[in-house]
């Protein structure tokens, strides 16, 4: 049975630590961690979560996009666990857009990210996969992969003036049309 895990906050050492690769994907405790992360990110209404955010310094992230009150304009992506993910290609072009993080609640910032990326990873059954992402999904994947290297989104801002509080961000996006995501 899956249980909800406590989300580490910025300031905890694990959030700034480079995570280690996972060799034994099929171990029961590793599969349990996937189930617990899936439950935890759904409960927190996150678009993704990385194992270090629950205190486990291992290279595992979940990406799971759907529109909700935290991200009203998010596209749909079924919950996808990625073991040992790596960006193997990316666009030259970068784009700035808003991000938030379960480890820094109440803060939003405009962060430059590659517009499109191609990622290699292992699935929870150990299968090697490659997948391309564009737009918001590419942003979420880059954000989660950064967690595996001890990087949070506010470290990536061009200027600290691009950091605002979530309640002010809500006022700004109220009038914003949905993001068009093509893949
Ligand atoms: Ni985050």
């Amino acid at each position: 049975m899956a249980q909800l895990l406590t989300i580490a906050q910025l300031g905890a050492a694990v959030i700034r630590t480079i995570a280690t690769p996972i060799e034994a994907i099929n171990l029961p405790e590793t599969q349990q961690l996937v189930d617990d992360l899936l439950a935890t990110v759904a409960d927190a209404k996150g678009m993704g979560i990385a194992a270090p955010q629950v205190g486990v310094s291992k290279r595992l992230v979940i990406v799971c996009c759907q529109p909700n009150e935290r991200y009203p304009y998010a596209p749909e992506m079924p919950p996808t666990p990625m073991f040992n993910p790596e960006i193997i290609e990316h666009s030259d072009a970068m784009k700035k857009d808003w991000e938030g993080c379960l480890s820094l609640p109440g803060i939003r910032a405009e962060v430059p990210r590659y517009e499109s990326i191609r990622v290699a990873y292992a699935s929870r059954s150990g299968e090697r996969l490659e997948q391309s992402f564009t737009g918001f999904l590419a942003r979420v994947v880059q954000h989660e992969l950064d967690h595996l290297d001890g990087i949070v989104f506010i470290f990536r801002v061009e200027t600290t003036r691009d950091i605002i509080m979530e309640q002010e961000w809500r006022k700004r996006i109220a009038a914003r049309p949905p993001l068009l995501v093509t893949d």
Side-chain angles (χ1 to χ4, degrees):
M1 217 176 102
Q3 59 172 335
L4 298 181
L5 304 172
T6 302
I7 297 173
Q9 304 291 286
L10 179 62
V14 70
I15 294 295
R16 294 288 302 268
T17 302
I18 295 176
T20 55
I22 301 181
E23 309 296 342
I25 290 170
N26 59 354
L27 281 184
E29 57 259 43
T30 306
Q31 294 293 320
Q32 182 68 50
L33 176 61
V34 172
D35 289 337
D36 293 348
L37 282 168
L38 288 168
T40 302
V41 72
D43 178 71
K45 296 184 164 54
M47 300 287 113
I49 195 167
Q53 289 184 276
V54 297
V56 178
S57 197
K58 300 266 178 69
R59 301 189 83 81
L60 166 62
V61 304
I62 310 278
V63 177
C64 50
C65 279
Q66 55 181 349
N68 65 24
E69 64 266 28
R70 287 187 72 239
Y71 294 94
Y73 51 82
E76 298 270 356
M77 176 172 166
T80 306
M82 299 180 179
F83 285 87
N84 306 321
E86 283 180 78
I87 294 172
I88 54 173
E89 285 172 30
H90 62 75
S91 59
D92 291 333
M94 300 186 88
K95 188 171 184 267
K96 268 169 69 169
D97 209 340
W98 294 104
E99 295 183 21
C101 182
L102 298 173
S103 295
L104 295 75
I107 293 175
R108 295 286 157 135
E110 280 194 299
V111 184
R113 300 283 188 188
Y114 298 120
E115 284 189 336
S116 58
I117 56 172
R118 188 164 180 81
V119 180
Y121 63 93
S123 72
R124 72 180 296 177
S125 59
E127 187 184 3
R128 292 294 303 173
L129 299 174
E130 289 186 12
Q131 198 171 351
S132 295
F133 299 95
T134 305
F136 186 83
L137 292 175
R139 175 170 301 279
V140 173
V141 172
Q142 288 170 82
H143 175 115
E144 298 310 328
L145 266 59
D146 266 355
H147 276 301
L148 304 181
D149 292 321
I151 298 167
V152 298
F153 70 114
I154 57 168
F155 302 169
R156 295 257 189 217
V157 295
E158 286 174 350
T159 158
T160 49
R161 291 172 189 267
D162 286 340
I163 302 172
I164 67 173
M165 302 313 290
E166 183 167 344
Q167 79 188 67
E168 291 298 322
W169 173 80
R170 285 187 183 285
K171 295 177 194 167
R172 295 189 192 196
I173 63 150
R176 173 181 170 159
L179 263 190
L180 200 65
V181 176
T182 54
D183 47 17

